[in-house]
Amino acid sequence: MTTQAKMMSTTASQQGSLSEPWTRLTHRERLPGWYAYNPRTMRPSPLSSDTCMKILSWNVNGLQSVVGSGFSALELARRENFDILCLQETHLEMLEKDVEQFKSLIEDYDNSYWSCSVSRLGYSGTAVISRVKPISVQYGLGIPAHDQEGRLITLEFDGFYLVNAYVPNSGRGLRRLNYRVNNWDPCFSSYIKKLERSKPAIVAGDLNCARQSIDIHNPPAKTQSAGFTVEERESFERNFSSKGLIDTFRKQHPKAVAYTFWGENQRITNKGWRLDYFLASESIADKVHDSYILPDVSFSDHSPIGLVLKL
């Protein structure tokens, strides 16, 4: 390669990293073999729509705000052709004026299910919008102490349960750390195991934990931060990974550095966290064709993640 060609190649690479900052490998403690995830080049060939189910999950950090900033759910549906959209942090109140306006958010997706916080209005909240009608729907864990913040919706389909979850953040000063790792996580784990007695489960959502060092930009600086404490990571392994739930993205991309959340002004430098997951029961994990991230969708501080499941 000539010097001029090398310069042109370098310039093109730099321009690409500016327009697609998630392709920059910025991890502070990267190991040999690690690489930056690029969905444009690293996703498998698509399956025909009649042979798979496509699920998207997204922490929108306020549905009113996202829609008000110009986001079009219909455009995303047309682009991605998903069957089901799971949302977290909707920040809606369970009132006619609040939820009703979003029930027809996407044309031809006629089934929508909403769970809102009743202990603190306009806080937390989850929703599922689907063009496939589920067999049944359940809200919460079935434990009143954990079901006041609208954090869980479970949909039953023919071959599996889909659990849309927004796991509690340990909060500033780690004030909810004890509740999260000693109460919520074990109860959530037991709930999933109970579902698995009849069908495999797929857990989608913001699980509020970067489970490994590869999943966060600067591990040493964040060990006392909510989402990366030793306690949270050990709880994730103890309650989910060791119980047979497969991290589908990490299974597909063992050495990919990829994030789903960025703090203020951090997306452009790709200094992020991977907090959002699709976890799958071992018995259904091999049916996952693709587990991916859509970092170019930037209306929230999280990006959507996707799962393509072979039928």
Side-chain angles (χ1 to χ4, degrees), residues 222-253:
K222 299 296 183 181
T223 56
Q224 297 301 312
S225 299
F228 195 65
T229 62
V230 171
E231 293 89 344
E232 288 165 307
R233 286 179 283 145
E234 288 181 346
S235 178
F236 195 112
E237 298 307 307
R238 180 172 63 252
N239 288 294
F240 308 120
S241 300
S242 69
K243 298 290 181 66
L245 288 172
I246 306 300
D247 177 350
T248 59
F249 180 85
R250 190 54 67 209
K251 179 184 178 184
Q252 184 174 338
H253 301 283

Side-chain angles (χ1 to χ4, degrees), residues 35-99:
Y35 55 86
Y37 174 69
N38 185 352
R40 186 167 47 81
T41 61
M42 295 179 184
R43 292 183 59 186
S45 300
L47 300 176
S48 61
S49 58
D50 60 341
T51 64
C52 67
M53 178 176 282
K54 194 171 188 179
I55 308 167
L56 253 59
S57 174
W58 189 17
N59 179 323
V60 291
N61 192 25
L63 188 56
Q64 291 267 21
S65 176
V66 165
V67 172
S69 66
F71 165 71
S72 170
L74 182 59
E75 287 182 11
L76 182 64
R78 287 171 176 168
R79 173 185 131 173
E80 293 299 317
N81 193 29
F82 54 78
D83 297 293
I84 304 169
L85 175 63
C86 299
L87 301 175
Q88 303 89 42
E89 275 205 277
T90 54
H91 294 177
L92 300 178
E93 298 179 15
M94 189 57 80
L95 300 171
E96 290 290 328
K97 65 177 182 65
D98 219 357
V99 169

Side-chain angles (χ1 to χ4, degrees), residues 83-196:
D83 297 293
I84 304 169
L85 175 63
C86 299
L87 301 175
Q88 303 89 42
E89 275 205 277
T90 54
H91 294 177
L92 300 178
E93 298 179 15
M94 189 57 80
L95 300 171
E96 290 290 328
K97 65 177 182 65
D98 219 357
V99 169
E100 196 65 31
Q101 63 180 309
F102 293 110
K103 286 188 175 181
S104 57
L105 188 64
I106 312 175
E107 186 179 352
D108 296 327
Y109 287 71
D110 298 328
N111 309 284
S112 69
Y113 309 94
W114 306 81
S115 185
C116 302
S117 173
V118 294
S119 61
R120 179 178 166 189
L121 298 183
Y123 170 73
S124 185
T126 49
V128 180
I129 301 170
S130 176
R131 62 184 174 193
V132 182
K133 188 171 183 177
I135 297 170
S136 66
V137 180
Q138 179 176 328
Y139 299 91
L141 292 172
I143 303 172
H146 299 320
D147 291 343
Q148 302 302 304
E149 296 177 346
R151 294 185 176 275
L152 209 72
I153 304 175
T154 302
L155 277 66
E156 179 186 4
F157 295 99
D158 286 339
F160 63 95
Y161 288 100
L162 174 63
V163 183
N164 179 27
Y166 175 45
V167 170
N169 191 306
S170 293
R172 292 181 181 178
L174 303 178
R175 59 185 178 81
R176 298 192 85 184
L177 177 62
N178 181 63
Y179 166 71
R180 187 251 171 88
V181 303
N182 292 319
N183 291 278
W184 171 274
D185 282 358
C187 289
F188 187 27
S189 176
S190 296
Y191 174 78
I192 297 167
K193 298 309 291 184
K194 183 178 180 180
L195 294 177
E196 288 180 319

